[in-house]
Amino acid sequence: MSLTREQMAQRVAQELQDGFYVNLGIGIPTLVANYVPDNMEVMLQSENGLLGMGEFPTEDTIDADMINAGKQTVTTVKGASIFSSAESFAMIRGGHVDLTVLGAFEVDVNGNIASWMIPSKLIKGMGGAMDLVAGAENIIVTMTHASKDGESKLLSNCSLPLTGKGCIKKVLTDLAWLEIEDGAFVLKERAPGVSVEDIIEKTQGKLIVPDHVPEMVFA
Amino acid sequence: MSLTREQMAQRVAQELQDGFYVNLGIGIPTLVANYVPDNMEVMLQSENGLLGMGEFPTEDTIDADMINAGKQTVTTVKGASIFSSAESFAMIRGGHVDLTVLGAFEVDVNGNIASWMIPSKLIKGMGGAMDLVAGAENIIVTMTHASKDGESKLLSNCSLPLTGKGCIKKVLTDLAWLEIEDGAFVLKERAPGVSVEDIIEKTQGKLIVPDHVPEMVFA
Amino acid sequence: MAGFDKVVASYEEAMTGLEDGMTILAGGFGLCGIPENLIAEIKRKGTRDLTIVSNNCGVDGFGLGILLEDKQVRKMVSSYVGENALFEKQLLNGELEVELTPQGTLAEKMRAGGAGIPAFTPQQAWVRQLQKAKETKEFHGREYLLEEAIVGDFAIVKGWKADRYGNVIYRHTAQNFNPLAATAGKITVVEVEEIVEVGELDPAHIHTPGIYVNRVVLGTFEKRIEKRTVKSAE
Amino acid sequence: MAGFDKVVASYEEAMTGLEDGMTILAGGFGLCGIPENLIAEIKRKGTRDLTIVSNNCGVDGFGLGILLEDKQVRKMVSSYVGENALFEKQLLNGELEVELTPQGTLAEKMRAGGAGIPAFTPQQAWVRQLQKAKETKEFHGREYLLEEAIVGDFAIVKGWKADRYGNVIYRHTAQNFNPLAATAGKITVVEVEEIVEVGELDPAHIHTPGIYVNRVVLGTFEKRIEKRTVKSAE
């Protein structure tokens, strides 16, 4: 069985460490905040200018002046700070964020990522994604392993315009946890009930399959 | 009679305009603050990170954490703001300060200024002076017309290492008010009782003397 | 005090001097902290052929989006412009030009413009795919793009509170690009929800010192929410 | 919460990891807002061959000046070093190297170091007289120097109040270079006068967000005044 969005978020959350400053992109990455283990705390950075993003507000406390980078209304946690977008990207570009989680259209064996533009469709813009992947040492990409048409998103070479070059080392798909090493995807874990063969079939880029590929474990 | 330090400050203060943001260097420039006309207000910028510097504190209100760029204890006026040195020099470098007044060792006919270093003596450093003269459109240099040995400080070419290049247009000495135009000093006003001949004698750089050179007027 | 009194009586006065073909820097992120009444005044004024530097271009019918209705905008410099059907139409028609700029670079370009720093190297050089033949420099074994600062003929800014000297504070994440745009306008206009007495703002809390601000105008704000998300009842 | 608790119990712990030959960025302007106890700890520790980036080098017997007494400093990067006889002596003896940097450039170099911007152009090129063969670039008809960012192995910072997460505010003009140094240390240590509860500092008033800070230590401060100027009795 391929992972649900919630399971994907849950698996990413296993990579968190106590005291991590984390930037979560739109979509599945946002859900990671719901699965922070009880015995640790992370602070969420939102690139519009907020460190210490909290949960959504109630109807009573909603405030148009308090949003995240996805333009959703949010709250702050205790110990939060708010600053300009220049300061926010100083944090990001300067490598101060411990972990960035974001979605993608494609990732390739050289750690390239394409996530912002599909030519022939309209160009909406890259927002902060290019800055985020350039500034982070530690990035997890979350996406489905293949498109709805069954085409692999784990490629030898990204076909779309890049968001970042040589910056991705970890990918979580609905089928597998993979790490990128020496020009290949290395299959580290598979989703419960998903066979290695299925993953091989749906991976276009070079894939290294160790002798033993454990199933993911969810608490 | 050559001007006193107080008269020099008084003459410079005549160049102030209501609403000017002004940076005053150490020495005579600092005294300018005492002669702001009653019908106008200026705000003093201090490059360590203060806009809206006030007068010296009393013994009771002195505070080691409230100093100006000359490291003197000061106060703030209403409407002051305090910020980092990077923000302070953003203001300065970005041309947001309306007037900078500073002392110098030498000025030349090309608007060059030397104010920070005398080789063979110890190099103490330029502090903020280079940034100040580079960022300001409107600079007044205050200095004695000649050294104690009688050597002119208004030169064809500065002999000392420069603080700024081609940036000075106005000079007030103890003898004269001069403006720099097209590679020459233009004598605009003379100190009360000082003769044009005396100024000519003490000016080494090219000096243009109009037919009528009025005496400075002090209120 | 007259010399430091930046308060103007009307939005018309606030935008005096804006002319066709000018460049405007605008604060705001999405619809949060946008100078909504200053934008409306530009629409009323009918100024055309504008270059607008803003992270986003509003939505259909609100924010900068309303300037598209009468085709007042020639070019947008933005990081993300995906919320606007009219924008898409004019872009495809060739009636509108867009210069996409990564968000962090855009923020830093405004800051550099205000700070008198003509150029800096925020991004690695492969980003060049986006750009016309920019120069690159190598640092620490990586190639970087040399990016140039942006300044505007006008900066339009949304503050929370200001005093008559033009000292401004922003509310929550409505800060975003506003203090950056504020530094980089030849004429910087700030509209605010409240004008307070000079001296009321703590010097250490001021986000935009008055030295950057030319005009302050008092307004009332719709503050439309782009994505209303609330906690489910527990 | 343990992961964000930056408070350490002693100055010794605060400076753990400092080794001979390292580069230290220090906040402070003159003797105002200097990390006086962290400097004293470096003296106690006896670490040598240090490069120190700080606007000034204290005075004889106080501030960074005390690190000269046992010749712990190999090189100073500063804008003004004129208040220190021992400094002068060591410089003339060739025991100490100094790299003079204009104050605004020094501030911006620290900011750039923290912000991941390897280079920028703050100064016109003739300033090159000061420097060893730096590269220049032309913008708007003027030649500018390409200056590189500074990062430190350690940054030592003096704050007013901090919470356990490392959020810091500075008092009055003791802010100066402190928030800039704080962003650019591989290990940033902040000593403060008071540690407050998390949540007590208003998010909009925080000068240095905790993300930049590794260690916080509580101290007491002499706060020596360099030039005591008071208003004459009226």
Side-chain angles (χ1 to χ4, degrees):
Chain A
M1 292 285 292
S2 58
L3 300 180
T4 62
R5 288 162 55 89
E6 283 70 25
Q7 284 176 312
M8 288 177 72
Q10 217 175 331
R11 175 62 190 86
V12 170
Q14 293 175 12
E15 302 296 306
L16 298 174
Q17 292 179 27
D18 194 25
F20 258 21
Y21 297 98
V22 181
N23 186 293
L24 299 177
I26 294 170
I28 294 167
T30 302
L31 300 176
V32 173
N34 299 333
Y35 297 98
V36 179
D38 284 341
N39 60 347
M40 67 172 69
E41 268 199 311
V42 301
M43 281 199 116
L44 302 178
Q45 203 262 12
S46 194
E47 63 264 31
N48 51 321
L50 169 60
L51 182 68
M53 178 170 66
E55 54 188 357
F56 293 148
T58 61
E59 281 290 351
D60 290 345
T61 59
I62 200 164
D63 189 328
D65 289 336
M66 188 69 90
I67 68 168
N68 67 13
K71 289 148 194 167
Q72 299 169 313
T73 46
V74 294
T75 59
T76 57
V77 299
K78 273 194 180 182
S81 49
I82 295 173
F83 33 80
S84 77
S85 297
E87 181 66 44
S88 182
F89 282 93
M91 287 175 191
I92 290 167
R93 202 191 298 106
H96 304 280
V97 174
D98 296 301
L99 174 65
T100 290
V101 185
L102 80 169
F105 301 139
E106 300 173 347
V107 170
D108 74 24
V109 294
N110 296 310
N112 299 328
I113 172 173
S115 68
W116 74 278
M117 178 196 179
I118 301 180
S120 82
K121 300 196 182 184
L122 183 71
I123 305 170
K124 289 178 187 297
M126 70 295 287
M130 282 187 175
D131 310 277
L132 278 161
V133 298
E137 282 298 308
N138 188 8
I139 304 170
I140 300 174
V141 171
T142 61
M143 60 180 189
T144 56
H145 208 99
S147 71
K148 284 171 189 165
D149 306 333
E151 284 184 72
S152 178
K153 296 180 176 180
L154 287 88
L155 306 176
S156 305
N157 281 295
C158 287
S159 66
L160 297 170
L162 297 185
T163 309
K165 207 165 172 177
C167 55
I168 306 299
K169 299 197 190 86
K170 299 172 187 169
V171 183
L172 177 73
T173 73
D174 53 342
L175 304 184
W177 174 265
L178 308 104
E179 296 185 9
I180 297 174
E181 291 169 19
D182 301 328
F185 297 107
V186 180
L187 183 56
K188 294 287 185 179
E189 300 174 20
R190 54 202 168 82
V194 171
S195 70
V196 167
E197 291 66 32
D198 198 22
I199 294 164
I200 292 173
E201 187 197 347
K202 289 192 170 141
T203 305
Q204 184 260 315
K206 181 176 174 187
L207 180 70
I208 292 173
V209 182
D211 290 341
H212 176 63
V213 181
E215 279 192 359
M216 290 174 201
V217 176
F218 295 95
Chain B
M1 290 286 291
S2 60
L3 300 180
T4 62
R5 287 162 57 90
E6 284 69 24
Q7 283 175 312
M8 288 178 71
Q10 218 175 332
R11 176 61 190 87
V12 169
Q14 293 173 13
E15 302 297 306
L16 298 174
Q17 292 179 27
D18 193 24
F20 258 21
Y21 297 98
V22 182
N23 185 294
L24 300 175
I26 294 168
I28 293 167
T30 300
L31 300 176
V32 173
N34 299 333
Y35 297 98
V36 179
D38 284 340
N39 60 347
M40 68 173 67
E41 268 199 310
V42 301
M43 281 201 116
L44 302 178
Q45 205 263 10
S46 193
E47 63 265 29
N48 51 323
L50 169 60
L51 181 66
M53 178 170 66
E55 53 190 356
F56 293 148
T58 61
E59 282 289 354
D60 290 345
T61 60
I62 200 164
D63 188 329
D65 289 336
M66 188 69 91
I67 68 167
N68 66 14
K71 290 150 193 166
Q72 298 170 313
T73 46
V74 295
T75 59
T76 56
V77 299
K78 272 194 179 182
S81 48
I82 295 173
F83 32 79
S84 77
S85 298
E87 182 66 45
S88 183
F89 282 93
M91 286 176 191
I92 289 167
R93 202 189 299 106
H96 303 281
V97 174
D98 295 302
L99 174 65
T100 290
V101 185
L102 79 170
F105 301 140
E106 300 173 345
V107 170
D108 74 24
V109 294
N110 297 309
N112 298 329
I113 171 174
S115 67
W116 74 277
M117 178 195 179
I118 301 180
S120 83
K121 299 198 182 182
L122 184 69
I123 304 171
K124 289 179 188 295
M126 69 295 287
M130 283 189 174
D131 310 275
L132 278 161
V133 298
E137 283 299 308
N138 190 9
I139 304 170
I140 301 173
V141 170
T142 62
M143 60 180 190
T144 56
H145 209 98
S147 71
K148 284 171 190 164
D149 306 333
E151 284 184 71
S152 179
K153 296 180 176 180
L154 287 87
L155 306 175
S156 306
N157 283 296
C158 287
S159 67
L160 297 170
L162 297 185
T163 310
K165 206 165 174 178
C167 56
I168 306 300
K169 299 196 188 86
K170 300 171 187 170
V171 182
L172 177 73
T173 72
D174 53 342
L175 304 183
W177 174 265
L178 308 103
E179 296 185 9
I180 298 174
E181 292 168 19
D182 302 327
F185 297 106
V186 180
L187 181 56
K188 294 286 186 180
E189 299 173 21
R190 55 203 168 81
V194 171
S195 70
V196 167
E197 290 66 31
D198 197 22
I199 293 165
I200 291 174
E201 189 198 341
K202 290 193 170 141
T203 306
Q204 184 260 314
K206 181 177 176 187
L207 180 69
I208 293 172
V209 182
D211 290 345
H212 176 64
V213 181
E215 278 192 356
M216 290 173 201
V217 177
F218 294 95
Chain C
M1 259 178 57
F4 290 109
D5 190 349
K6 315 284 177 78
V7 177
V8 297
S10 70
Y11 276 92
E12 193 175 346
E13 196 181 337
M15 292 308 292
T16 299
L18 181 68
E19 290 172 18
D20 290 355
M22 280 186 165
T23 295
I24 299 174
L25 312 185
F29 176 84
L31 300 182
C32 180
I34 61 172
E36 50 182 88
N37 301 298
L38 292 169
I39 294 166
E41 172 61 19
I42 296 169
K43 180 172 171 68
R44 194 199 61 75
K45 218 172 151 77
T47 320
R48 300 180 67 82
D49 202 26
L50 296 168
T51 295
I52 297 185
V53 183
S54 167
N55 191 59
N56 313 94
C57 190
V59 296
D60 288 306
F62 196 67
L64 290 167
I66 66 172
L67 301 184
L68 301 173
E69 294 164 4
D70 301 325
K71 298 179 185 168
Q72 294 178 258
V73 184
R74 184 179 64 76
K75 180 178 172 182
M76 285 296 304
V77 180
S78 302
S79 88
Y80 189 78
V81 290
E83 311 294 349
N84 203 309
L86 189 54
F87 189 98
E88 182 169 344
K89 181 163 161 282
Q90 292 187 7
L91 188 62
L92 294 173
N93 285 352
E95 295 169 322
L96 181 63
E97 190 184 335
V98 63
E99 183 176 321
L100 290 175
T101 305
Q103 191 174 338
T105 297
L106 187 65
E108 195 67 18
K109 274 172 168 275
M110 289 189 190
R111 180 186 178 274
I117 295 174
F120 58 101
T121 58
Q123 283 275 332
Q124 289 183 50
W126 63 265
V127 175
R128 198 170 16 181
Q129 65 182 21
L130 299 172
Q131 323 261 2
K132 302 141 211 158
K134 290 195 180 172
E135 195 166 348
T136 67
K137 297 293 312 165
E138 185 173 322
F139 297 100
H140 316 300
R142 288 176 171 180
E143 285 288 317
Y144 285 83
L145 275 187
L146 198 63
E147 288 281 358
E148 293 194 31
I150 291 182
V151 294
D153 298 298
F154 272 77
I156 56 174
V157 169
K158 161 65 175 63
W160 179 25
K161 299 179 184 182
D163 64 26
R164 302 184 80 84
Y165 286 6
N167 293 308
V168 183
I169 61 171
Y170 304 95
R171 189 165 173 276
H172 302 334
T173 61
Q175 182 172 163
N176 57 60
F177 283 83
N178 279 299
L180 312 170
T183 65
K186 288 177 195 161
I187 297 177
T188 290
V189 187
V190 184
E191 60 170 334
V192 295
E193 298 173 46
E194 188 182 345
I195 293 175
V196 301
E197 290 299 314
V198 171
E200 202 171 308
L201 302 175
D202 185 321
H205 299 164
I206 289 168
H207 294 124
T208 295
I211 195 169
Y212 293 115
V213 175
N214 300 90
R215 300 171 192 167
V216 173
V217 60
L218 184 64
T220 55
F221 298 84
E222 176 184 339
K223 292 198 190 178
R224 195 180 291 186
I225 292 176
E226 199 163 342
K227 292 185 188 162
R228 173 179 288 268
T229 45
V230 293
K231 199 162 57 167
S232 50
E234 277 164 16
Chain D
M1 259 179 56
F4 290 108
D5 191 350
K6 316 283 176 82
V7 176
V8 297
S10 69
Y11 277 92
E12 192 175 346
E13 196 180 339
M15 293 307 291
T16 298
L18 181 69
E19 291 172 16
D20 289 357
M22 281 187 167
T23 295
I24 299 174
L25 313 185
F29 176 85
L31 299 182
C32 181
I34 60 172
E36 51 182 87
N37 300 300
L38 292 170
I39 294 166
E41 171 62 20
I42 296 169
K43 181 172 170 66
R44 193 199 63 77
K45 219 172 150 76
T47 319
R48 300 180 66 85
D49 200 25
L50 296 169
T51 295
I52 296 185
V53 183
S54 167
N55 191 61
N56 313 94
C57 190
V59 295
D60 287 308
F62 195 67
L64 289 167
I66 66 172
L67 300 184
L68 301 173
E69 294 164 4
D70 301 325
K71 298 180 186 169
Q72 294 178 259
V73 184
R74 185 180 64 78
K75 179 177 173 183
M76 285 295 305
V77 180
S78 302
S79 87
Y80 189 80
V81 290
E83 312 293 350
N84 203 310
L86 189 54
F87 190 98
E88 183 170 345
K89 181 162 162 281
Q90 293 188 7
L91 188 61
L92 294 172
N93 285 352
E95 295 170 321
L96 180 63
E97 190 184 336
V98 63
E99 183 176 320
L100 290 174
T101 304
Q103 192 174 338
T105 297
L106 187 64
E108 195 67 19
K109 273 171 169 276
M110 289 189 190
R111 180 187 178 274
I117 295 174
F120 58 102
T121 59
Q123 283 274 333
Q124 289 181 49
W126 63 265
V127 174
R128 198 169 15 178
Q129 66 181 21
L130 299 172
Q131 321 264 2
K132 302 141 210 156
K134 288 196 181 172
E135 195 166 349
T136 68
K137 297 293 312 167
E138 185 174 322
F139 297 101
H140 316 301
R142 288 176 169 179
E143 284 289 317
Y144 285 82
L145 275 187
L146 199 63
E147 288 280 359
E148 292 193 33
I150 292 182
V151 293
D153 297 298
F154 271 77
I156 56 173
V157 169
K158 161 67 174 62
W160 178 25
K161 299 180 183 181
D163 63 26
R164 301 183 82 84
Y165 286 7
N167 294 306
V168 183
I169 60 172
Y170 304 95
R171 189 164 173 278
H172 302 334
T173 60
Q175 183 172 163
N176 57 59
F177 283 83
N178 280 300
L180 312 170
T183 66
K186 287 176 197 161
I187 296 176
T188 291
V189 187
V190 184
E191 60 170 334
V192 296
E193 299 173 46
E194 188 182 344
I195 292 175
V196 301
E197 289 299 314
V198 170
E200 201 172 306
L201 302 176
D202 184 322
H205 298 163
I206 289 168
H207 294 124
T208 295
I211 195 170
Y212 294 115
V213 175
N214 301 90
R215 302 171 191 167
V216 173
V217 60
L218 183 65
T220 55
F221 298 84
E222 176 184 338
K223 292 197 189 180
R224 194 180 293 186
I225 292 176
E226 198 162 345
K227 293 186 187 164
R228 174 180 285 267
T229 46
V230 293
K231 199 161 56 166
S232 49
E234 278 165 14

